[in-house]
Amino acid sequence: MNAFFKKSLILLLAASIIGLTAFFSLGSLVSHYGGKPEKADVIIVLGGDDGLRVEQGGELYKAGYAPNILVTGIDSRYYRPSQPNWRERRLMELGIPEKAIIVDTRSETTWEEALNSVETMTKKGWKSAIVVSDPPHMFRLYHTWNIAVKGSPKQFTLVSTKPDWWHPLLWWGNKTSYRFVLSEVQKNLYYALVHFRKA
């Protein structure tokens, strides 16, 4: 084995180790900013929900973390105030009074959810929010919300749900978390090019 071949083999092994480490670390990276709840003016339950986000938001409300819940990502084409959306109904089933629930029907993306939520907070005089979503969503949310509240005294805390399918180190072994993480990597790259550079 000549010296050139040895060096090439070492470089290949090193690159493989770095690549594998980066790949397996993606779960920890995308979920990094999820934290513990703190007292706030409003709990914001983001759209794209299968029920876990609503459940988490309801639990936080009942635990006394905030007196208001803002539910985002509800399609305005199908929403009727007189006929509560299933997420509103679920919150009410959990014991949340209807008057404490506000619905955002304008937002279709994470970016719009952040901007429109901050606008609602300004109108209501709210200064702090708990933002609820799933674990792999945390990295993009953190940077999106930092831009949304930039230049204002508003504060936010990210709180993630606790789905059975999620593990930050073994994310690649579950179909749901695998798809979610790879989707978030793509979305973070897009947001970095389109939105995050505005910060």
Side-chain angles (χ1 to χ4, degrees), residues 121-192:
M121 290 174 68
T122 299
K123 289 178 180 177
K124 296 287 186 179
W126 296 335
K127 296 181 179 178
S128 56
I130 297 171
V131 183
V132 177
S133 192
D134 298 320
H137 203 182
M138 295 294 112
F139 185 90
R140 185 158 55 98
L141 281 181
Y142 177 79
H143 293 287
T144 298
W145 273 79
N146 265 331
I147 295 172
V149 302
K150 188 176 181 180
S152 80
K154 294 180 179 60
Q155 298 179 332
F156 68 93
T157 303
L158 300 179
V159 174
S160 62
T161 58
K162 300 173 180 61
D164 293 336
W165 47 262
W166 179 250
H167 191 290
L169 297 179
L170 302 176
W171 61 271
W172 45 270
N174 179 281
K175 289 182 179 179
T176 301
S177 58
Y178 182 84
R179 287 195 302 267
F180 205 149
V181 169
L182 294 189
S183 173
E184 278 301 310
V185 169
Q186 294 173 352
K187 289 177 180 177
N188 272 288
L189 290 172
Y190 173 78
Y191 270 54

Side-chain angles (χ1 to χ4, degrees), residues 13-28:
L13 287 172
S16 299
I17 291 170
I18 292 170
L20 287 171
T21 301
F23 176 80
F24 290 123
S25 299
L26 286 175
S28 296

